[in-house]
Amino acid sequence: MKRLLHFRLVWLALLLSATLVTACKKDNVVPQPTDLSDRVAGTYTYSELSSNGQTLPADETNLRGTVTISRQTATTVRIAFAISLRNGNPFLNDVLNDVTVRENGNAFTYEYSGQTFAQGKANQFVVNGRDTANNPFTLTATK
């Protein structure tokens, strides 16, 4: 009788431990970047150009390329522009170091040498510039 009681207790303990182990759910949570630089870092592909009141998608322009943003500190980034004409001639090929990133609600602003020159949202980077004829343009790139 004592042996039967011992067997039942062992069986009950095994059943409970199996239930507890199988009931545990693994959380496959992807850790979110913690600082601004990590959140904006990545490669953005040129997607549209706005100029003279018109906005054209990338495939309707003579441009192609990427903008790569790399973390330097929690609030500064390195921005490498690699935008060229389809014939290979450079359009916007430059590297900016120590660009300050600031969060403004759901948007980000990028400052270089005290001047705001670009802004962005979750997966978008928008730079404002002037062409060789001093006409303003807006170049948009997306992750």
Side-chain angles (χ1 to χ4, degrees):
M1 187 72 158
K2 199 175 197 185
R3 198 168 193 198
L4 184 61
L5 181 61
H6 180 68
F7 178 74
R8 285 184 180 172
L9 286 176
V10 169
W11 181 252
L12 181 62
L14 284 173
L15 184 62
L16 284 175
S17 63
T19 304
L20 288 173
V21 170
T22 58
C24 294
K25 178 182 169 187
K26 288 186 179 181
D27 292 331
N28 292 331
V29 176
V30 177
Q32 295 295 317
T34 56
D35 58 43
L36 275 132
S37 295
D38 283 334
R39 293 191 345 227
V40 301
T43 300
Y44 296 76
T45 303
Y46 163 66
S47 58
E48 70 180 29
L49 179 69
S50 297
S51 181
N52 298 326
Q54 289 186 316
T55 299
L56 298 172
D59 59 354
E60 293 182 23
T61 69
N62 196 27
L63 299 174
R64 64 180 177 182
T66 60
V67 177
T68 303
I69 301 176
S70 306
R71 182 187 193 281
Q72 288 185 314
T73 69
T75 58
T76 61
V77 295
R78 175 185 187 265
I79 301 179
F81 295 94
I83 307 293
S84 62
L85 300 174
R86 291 200 186 269
N87 66 9
N89 290 335
F91 175 75
L92 182 58
N93 289 332
D94 203 356
V95 175
L96 302 177
N97 285 300
D98 300 317
V99 175
T100 302
V101 182
R102 298 190 194 285
E103 190 168 16
N104 185 9
N106 292 346
F108 303 102
T109 58
Y110 299 85
E111 297 175 12
Y112 185 69
S113 297
Q115 298 290 320
T116 299
F117 72 96
Q119 61 274 346
K121 291 189 178 178
N123 292 321
Q124 189 179 56
F125 178 78
V126 180
V127 63
N128 302 307
R130 294 197 170 266
D131 62 16
T132 54
N134 205 30
N135 295 317
F137 69 86
T138 301
L139 186 138
T140 304
T142 53
K143 268 189 188 178

